[in-house]
Amino acid sequence: MEYSGYAHPLPNYVHPVPQPPGYIPPPTIESMPAPQRPAGCPPGLEYLTQIDQLLIHQQLELIEILVGWETNNKYQIKNSLGQKVFFAAEENDCCTRYWCGPLRPFTIKVLDNYGQEVLTLNRPLKCASCCYPCCLQELEVQAPPGNPIGYVIQDWHPLKPKFTIQNERKEPVLKIEGPACHCKCCSDVVFEVKSVDETHVVGKICKQWTGFLREAYTDADNFGIQFPMDLDVKIKAVMIGACFLIDFIYFEEK
């Protein structure tokens, strides 16, 4: 067959769009490489074996800013290098979000980078008043879904936010203590993570200051979690649940 010298265009070929000089493409979110899963580690939690801190960024929702209508919360969970580790999304109906507000019960599903559900967080409807110490906040953490691995239990205190981290047998493992005033301007709000006897600080959950405009007009918050590297991955996962519970109780309503 004689070659005519004319190339035929490939089917479905899309020509690249020319960009102006100096154009910088938007950054893409890099995912954390999946490490090998050790024995006894629930599927998907192997990421937590190699990190001692997490960054949690709540996504901004335009409809909340424009009309004030509360939507389901969504969070990006990253490591200290900014690599994506998990994605978390609340599942709730509009009536519950509207009538119960930050007190609402919820289910939050945490997905890995492959879209597999690795954690399920369940918060029942409870009282928020310190006048009712028998009916305070709690949250159950499951991994894999349907298998409880720990709990976050609010402790009664007249002034300070206090919580207990429990394992799957409901035995206390860690304590969390926040400041008496959690409404701080231009500074972070730190919840200290302590040993069970509350004599040693072993980590923290920090609500980060995001600026005047974002703090005033949205309830999208950023958090940092720090814990010992050798902490049981199940307890690290429960601390993620504790961060979400703290967000809903103290920072969800602006």
Side-chain angles (χ1 to χ4, degrees), residues 71-231:
T71 61
N72 282 328
N73 289 357
K74 301 179 182 67
Y75 305 86
Q76 293 279 356
I77 304 176
K78 305 176 184 179
N79 61 16
S80 58
L81 300 177
Q83 296 173 322
K84 181 181 175 183
V85 182
F86 300 122
F87 174 77
E90 175 192 2
E91 290 189 351
N92 234 323
D93 60 86
C94 59
C95 292
T96 301
R97 293 195 306 269
Y98 180 79
W99 291 110
C100 298
L103 285 177
R104 63 184 181 266
F106 61 69
T107 295
I108 292 180
K109 295 188 175 181
V110 181
L111 312 179
D112 65 10
N113 293 323
Y114 300 96
Q116 300 296 317
E117 184 179 349
V118 298
L119 285 173
T120 301
L121 315 177
N122 291 318
R123 176 202 191 187
L125 183 63
K126 293 283 186 177
C127 179
S129 174
C130 64
C131 298
Y132 300 94
C134 61
C135 193
L136 297 178
Q137 299 295 310
E138 63 182 59
L139 181 136
E140 180 187 70
V141 181
Q142 302 174 0
N147 179 49
I149 61 170
Y151 304 86
V152 185
I153 306 297
Q154 185 181 19
D155 298 327
W156 184 87
H157 193 277
L159 298 176
K160 290 185 176 182
K162 302 191 75 172
F163 300 87
T164 297
I165 300 290
Q166 299 178 341
N167 60 18
E168 66 271 21
R169 297 180 296 276
K170 295 191 174 183
E171 299 168 340
V173 178
L174 295 170
K175 294 284 187 176
I176 299 176
E177 181 177 325
C181 178
H182 56 270
C183 300
K184 294 185 178 180
C185 182
C186 301
S187 64
D188 297 345
V189 182
V190 177
F191 291 73
E192 293 182 335
V193 180
K194 301 181 178 182
S195 56
V196 175
D197 58 8
E198 301 188 42
T199 58
H200 299 90
V201 176
V202 300
K204 65 180 180 179
I205 297 175
C206 178
K207 191 270 181 186
Q208 300 166 346
W209 172 257
T210 56
F212 285 104
L213 291 178
R214 183 160 177 165
E215 294 286 339
Y217 295 105
T218 77
D219 59 4
D221 300 308
N222 293 341
F223 288 86
I225 307 177
Q226 293 183 9
F227 36 64
M229 180 71 77
D230 59 353
L231 185 67

Side-chain angles (χ1 to χ4, degrees), residues 29-91:
I29 299 178
E30 181 184 358
S31 298
M32 179 180 175
Q36 185 176 2
R37 181 160 65 96
C41 176
L45 298 191
E46 59 268 17
Y47 294 94
L48 300 179
T49 61
Q50 298 186 348
I51 55 180
D52 59 359
Q53 58 180 306
L54 288 169
L55 306 175
I56 299 181
H57 299 156
Q58 185 177 348
Q59 292 186 359
L60 281 170
E61 300 292 342
L62 186 59
I63 190 172
E64 289 190 15
I65 300 174
L66 296 179
V67 300
W69 185 262
E70 182 69 27
T71 61
N72 282 328
N73 289 357
K74 301 179 182 67
Y75 305 86
Q76 293 279 356
I77 304 176
K78 305 176 184 179
N79 61 16
S80 58
L81 300 177
Q83 296 173 322
K84 181 181 175 183
V85 182
F86 300 122
F87 174 77
E90 175 192 2
E91 290 189 351

